[in-house]
Every structure is written in C-alpha cells, then in structure tokens.
Amino acid sequence: MSLPFNEKDLPDLLSDEKSKHGAFSAIIKEYSQKLYWHIRKMVLSHDDADDILQNTFVKAWLNLGKFRGDANLQTWLYRIATNETMNFFNTNYIKHNGFTSDFDDKLADNLKSDPYFDGDETQLKLQKAILSLPPKQRLVFNMRYYDEMPYSEIAAVLQTSEGALKASYHHAVKKIEQFMLKCD
C-alpha cells in the first residue's frame, strides 16, 4: 500500500482546507500499522501502544503546519511516535519512583498476561532481555533489528549520529546475548 499522492505534494495538500482531512486520513491508513508495531515493541502492551499511537496522530495533526517536507514523512511520524513513547516511559518511571527495573518488570508481567502475545518461553525471554536495555538503546535495537531501518533513517528519527547508533546497537546485541546466556 502507498499514499494516493506524491509525498512532495504533501505540504500543499495539508495546508489546503479542502484536501487536509483526506490527505491526513490517507497518512493514518498508510502508517498506523507500522507506527503501532514500532510503539508496541517498546511498551509491549496493546492498550498502551494504542494510546500512544492515538497521541502520535493527534500530535501530528496539531503540528501539520510544522511539516514542511524537509524530512521524509515516515521519519517525521516515527520521530513523533518515538517522542510520545519516551514521554510514556518518563511518566511511568516517575510514577515508579525512578526505579526503571520496577516498571520494566511490570511491562514483562503485562506481556505474560497479554492475550495478544502468542510467543513461547524463548520469545518471552528475548522480550525480557530487550526490556533490560535502557529505553533509548531499546529503541535503537528495535528499529534496527525488527524494523530493519537503515542507520541513516534511525539517525534522522533520533537526531543523532550514525556512529553513535552503530555503537548503541552493538552494545544492545551484546547485552541481549549475555542476558540470554545467563538465563539458560
């Protein structure tokens, strides 16, 4: 599936009141599933991912005037979704008195009881290993490993250098390997 218009025309379509709603509906239809899974891999919960996805599209709608087409649409949307996801983590870490392991344990427990999770014990172990990563490193790992995003695109989304991302991904893989070996 692809957008029913050329992405170069998007700033004009979104600034015109006649085409704005149709263009944004097409964007939602095109990117909902990709963004949902990007978010879901971080928060693990279907309900939380749905809430964050909705916040992402609300924020995108409210900031349409800021999208000038300089960045790729997908990059812009992923940046918003990533920021909303990080806001979710920051808010929930504060609620858990700054103890990230408490919140990560809660996410892992939620995953076990999630009716949408159909993985086996190994998949659950992998998710726990990924949860053991700091949130930013978890993002880099998920975007590279699951979404197969090139480092250049991840760098645009996270607004950091490719070198830093490569190092972060390498460290994430090593930590996951160590976690999986320790659990065996």
Side-chain angles (χ1 to χ4, degrees):
M1 185 191 292
S2 64
L3 293 170
F5 47 80
N6 189 323
E7 196 172 310
K8 288 186 292 189
D9 300 330
L10 193 56
D12 293 334
L13 290 169
L14 293 173
S15 64
D16 181 2
E17 287 302 317
K18 292 179 185 173
S19 59
K20 185 179 193 174
H21 289 281
F24 196 71
S25 292
I27 290 168
I28 290 172
K29 189 175 183 181
E30 175 69 18
Y31 288 100
S32 284
Q33 189 172 14
K34 290 176 188 174
L35 292 173
Y36 169 83
W37 285 108
H38 170 66
I39 296 164
R40 175 80 188 264
K41 285 181 219 120
M42 288 294 294
V43 300
L44 302 180
S45 159
H46 168 72
D47 292 336
D48 291 337
D50 256 0
D51 290 346
I52 295 168
L53 179 63
Q54 184 175 8
N55 291 346
T56 297
F57 283 121
V58 167
K59 184 128 334 162
W61 175 258
L62 294 173
N63 290 289
L64 287 178
K66 294 180 182 176
F67 181 74
R68 297 176 308 277
D70 301 343
N72 168 315
L73 175 63
Q74 178 172 308
T75 301
W76 185 68
L77 291 170
Y78 265 77
R79 186 175 304 137
I80 294 170
T82 299
N83 289 339
E84 288 299 304
T85 303
M86 295 309 288
N87 288 341
F88 169 83
F89 280 117
N90 291 337
T91 300
N92 282 289
Y93 286 149
I94 289 167
K95 285 181 187 173
H96 287 83
N97 299 321
F99 295 109
T100 57
S101 61
D102 291 349
F103 182 63
D104 292 342
D105 289 343
K106 180 180 178 267
L107 289 176
D109 289 343
N110 288 347
L111 183 61
K112 286 181 205 172
S113 62
D114 188 338
Y116 297 99
F117 180 71
D118 61 358
D120 60 9
E121 197 59 37
T122 304
Q123 184 64 25
L124 185 60
K125 209 182 303 182
L126 174 61
Q127 290 306 316
K128 285 182 178 182
I130 295 169
L131 278 173
S132 73
L133 301 172
K136 197 95 168 196
Q137 200 170 59
R138 191 181 318 166
L139 259 173
V140 172
F141 179 81
N142 286 333
M143 293 169 87
R144 182 71 182 147
Y145 182 78
Y146 288 113
D147 297 338
E148 299 177 347
M149 286 177 118
Y151 286 111
S152 59
E153 194 170 335
I154 300 170
V157 170
L158 299 179
Q159 298 177 319
T160 190
S161 73
E162 287 185 43
L165 292 172
K166 288 177 182 178
S168 183
Y169 181 77
H170 173 77
H171 291 298
V173 169
K174 291 296 178 197
K175 287 177 185 176
I176 289 168
E177 285 175 355
Q178 289 172 351
F179 186 96
M180 297 296 281
L181 288 172
K182 188 172 67 176
C183 289
D184 280 342

